[in-house]
Amino acid sequence: MSLTVEHISFAYEGHKVLEDVSFQVSPGTFCALLGRNGSGKSTLLHLMAGLLRPAMGHIKLAGRDLRGSSRSSIAQRMALVLQEHARIFPFTVLDVVVMGRTPFMRLNQRPGPADYELALRALEELDAGHLAKRNFNRISGGERQIALLARGLLQSRENLLLDEPTNHLDFNNQHILLGRIKALCEKRGTRVVAAMHDPNLALAWADQVVMLSGGKVLAHGPAAETMTAEMVGRLYEADVRKIEFNGGGFFMPRPPGDRS
């Protein structure tokens, strides 16, 4: 039941954003989309979620082209979790999470006790059940991101599309959140495709990477094999070195004049 992106191209008002993008993501895989601002990462997520239609190419789930599916049916199998920015109405965290049931409801239908029970289970699965009755606007940025992840999980535990999930989070909360995302992949078989800025976070947590440059795939494959200093340097147009150590490594730009 692979998720397959085949030769996708897309343009906004004649401006080409994506060109001939192809890759495949298996169940239980954490795939990071890497690239500079404007490389097409967010647009690609919106295409995969069915919110945009490609000019060319196909997006297939388990061999079925999503082009002929309604947005509602896609939303039942593919949850897009956007960056959390503005404050919302003073809902409780549980009220925010239960909104993930919307694609499964009829027009004007309200969530019932069974829906709230599922929402609470989604929070508990992310070790966040204690947040259920808190005001969503009064919890930390990291806690809000976990609540939004729970909402996405309630919508679809099969496929999660995440747009910069660690944006605005501090060092510790970045790794807490990514650790919980990775656990969903390993324990529940959830497929995660996440647009990310930081190559070091992708190297630490992702199984697979797709590098986008100028709307095209520069490279894709297993993170540990694909993310070389040369490829990361080409992706970000920087002189990069990779510091390796037992069990891991990280990238850093070389200071001007450093020839080591």
Side-chain angles (χ1 to χ4, degrees):
M1 292 186 54
S2 291
L3 175 62
T4 306
V5 175
E6 296 182 349
H7 306 294
I8 288 294
S9 294
F10 183 82
Y12 284 114
E13 299 179 350
H15 173 67
K16 190 171 288 186
V17 179
L18 295 169
E19 183 177 357
D20 197 26
V21 172
S22 296
F23 61 92
Q24 183 172 298
V25 186
S26 299
T29 299
F30 184 168
C31 175
L33 303 179
L34 291 176
R36 302 178 69 185
N37 289 340
S39 61
K41 302 188 301 295
S42 295
T43 298
L44 181 55
L45 290 179
H46 281 73
L47 286 162
M48 295 171 73
L51 299 178
L52 297 172
R53 298 289 184 180
M56 295 182 64
H58 306 275
I59 297 172
K60 297 179 180 179
L61 184 58
R64 181 178 178 181
D65 197 333
L66 298 183
R67 186 186 292 270
S69 303
S70 67
R71 286 187 178 180
S72 178
S73 63
I74 296 173
Q76 292 177 11
R77 303 190 67 186
M78 202 94 68
L80 175 62
V81 181
L82 300 174
Q83 298 178 38
E84 193 278 313
H85 288 296
R87 290 177 176 268
I88 62 175
F89 288 106
F91 294 120
T92 66
V93 168
L94 191 61
D95 286 329
V96 170
V97 174
V98 84
M99 293 175 188
R101 292 293 297 164
T102 301
F104 301 90
M105 295 181 180
R106 299 184 304 276
L107 188 64
N108 296 325
Q109 181 182 356
R110 297 175 64 84
D115 298 303
Y116 278 96
E117 178 62 28
L118 290 171
L120 182 58
R121 289 181 189 175
L123 279 169
E124 290 173 342
E125 189 168 356
L126 296 173
D127 298 322
H130 61 285
L131 298 175
K133 296 183 179 180
R134 299 276 303 277
N135 184 320
F136 182 81
N137 292 330
R138 295 181 180 176
I139 58 178
S140 71
E143 289 170 332
R144 285 197 295 272
Q145 285 298 104
I146 289 173
L148 293 176
L149 181 62
R151 184 177 68 182
L153 186 61
L154 184 63
Q155 180 179 331
S156 171
R157 63 177 52 247
E158 180 184 356
N159 299 288
L160 289 176
L161 308 175
L162 312 179
D163 193 5
E164 302 291 352
T166 59
N167 202 25
H168 307 305
L169 299 187
D170 62 33
F171 173 79
N172 188 45
N173 278 317
Q174 287 178 344
H175 288 274
I176 289 173
L177 181 68
L178 292 174
R180 291 179 182 177
I181 291 170
K182 181 77 168 196
L184 291 174
C185 297
E186 295 177 342
K187 297 178 181 178
R188 301 297 183 185
T190 303
R191 177 178 12 233
V192 173
V193 181
M196 302 178 71
H197 271 307
D198 190 336
N200 290 318
L201 290 177
L203 182 64
W205 294 103
D207 305 301
Q208 174 182 346
V209 294
V210 176
M211 298 182 173
L212 291 174
S213 178
K216 299 180 181 180
V217 175
L218 177 65
H220 67 90
E225 298 174 13
T226 308
M227 297 182 68
T228 63
E230 177 187 358
M231 292 309 301
V232 171
R234 287 177 59 187
L235 182 67
Y236 294 102
E237 298 182 10
D239 186 7
V240 171
R241 62 180 173 179
K242 185 177 182 180
I243 311 299
E244 297 187 84
F245 50 85
N246 291 337
F250 64 93
F251 300 97
M252 62 181 298
R254 294 180 189 271
D258 183 355
R259 299 181 180 275
S260 61

